[in-house]
Amino acid sequence: MTQRVELAAVMDRLAIDALITEYAVTVDDGDWDAYRRLFSPGGRADYRSAGGIEGAADDVATWMTETLRMFSMRQHLIVNRRLEFGTLEQDVGDTARVRADYVNPMAFVTDGADGKERAAKGTPEPDFVCGGRYSFGLLRTHSGWRLREVVVAEKWRRITQHPG
């Protein structure tokens, strides 16, 4: 490999890593417009293994807007990222696949619309923690790397009951 090719591969890896990090932040912050922009045209997400839905990124973002309001705190930790590059026959352009493990602690809203009373008593402890594996399909577009698909394979979950 030439230095130019090696540098391009490093730059792609950094851009893809930034995209996966941005995915986690947009979900945790509930920034659904930014979430939609992470996807390529026709991009899809599948959260069925975690009790969610599967569909076009726009439809999934609309569903998550409503569903994730029940949590006053969300934090995705996406680790052990494994990246493969390729070009598939049916694709136009470069593709990549990232498989990564996740742990996702969340706190249920227990008072008011946003849990402010609970948060004022201290940092809310997670009531709900789940973990599993993400499979991200990516496509290089004119706007940079974008998500073609996100598939969640939830492997475990724990719900904690806090005293009232």
Side-chain angles (χ1 to χ4, degrees):
M1 251 195 244
T2 67
Q3 284 184 337
R4 181 171 289 174
V5 170
E6 289 173 359
L7 178 59
V10 169
M11 297 300 292
D12 281 336
R13 285 181 175 275
L14 290 171
I16 288 169
D17 188 66
L19 179 66
I20 302 303
T21 298
E22 189 63 21
Y23 166 84
V25 170
T26 62
V27 172
D28 292 343
D29 291 350
D31 187 346
W32 307 119
D33 290 333
Y35 174 90
R36 288 174 175 93
R37 289 191 299 271
L38 298 175
F39 286 83
S40 64
R44 301 183 69 75
D46 183 350
Y47 297 102
R48 290 177 294 182
S49 76
I53 67 169
E54 185 276 332
D58 188 53
D59 296 337
V60 171
T62 300
W63 173 81
M64 290 198 321
T65 299
E66 296 303 317
T67 304
L68 293 182
R69 285 184 187 177
M70 72 175 72
F71 299 103
S72 61
M73 181 276 297
R74 298 183 294 270
Q75 183 179 33
H76 278 76
L77 306 172
I78 301 177
V79 299
N80 300 333
R81 300 174 192 200
R82 289 162 288 161
L83 171 62
E84 297 174 8
F85 291 103
T87 303
L88 302 176
E89 282 184 33
Q90 69 270 21
D91 291 328
V92 178
D94 296 331
T95 63
R97 177 150 306 276
V98 174
R99 289 183 177 81
D101 296 327
Y102 72 89
V103 175
N104 181 205
M106 298 183 279
F108 287 112
V109 171
T110 58
D111 55 318
D114 59 6
K116 286 182 185 173
E117 183 179 317
R118 182 174 168 190
K121 295 176 185 173
T123 305
E125 282 186 42
D127 314 285
F128 182 96
V129 183
C130 60
R133 183 159 293 153
Y134 275 110
S135 178
F136 297 97
L138 300 101
L139 179 67
R140 185 195 311 268
T141 70
H142 293 294
S143 302
W145 287 97
R146 294 292 181 262
L147 299 168
R148 287 184 331 151
E149 68 174 352
V150 175
V151 178
V152 173
E154 185 177 271
K155 294 183 176 188
W156 61 271
R157 66 173 55 182
R158 183 184 75 227
I159 299 175
T160 305
Q161 299 295 325
H162 293 285

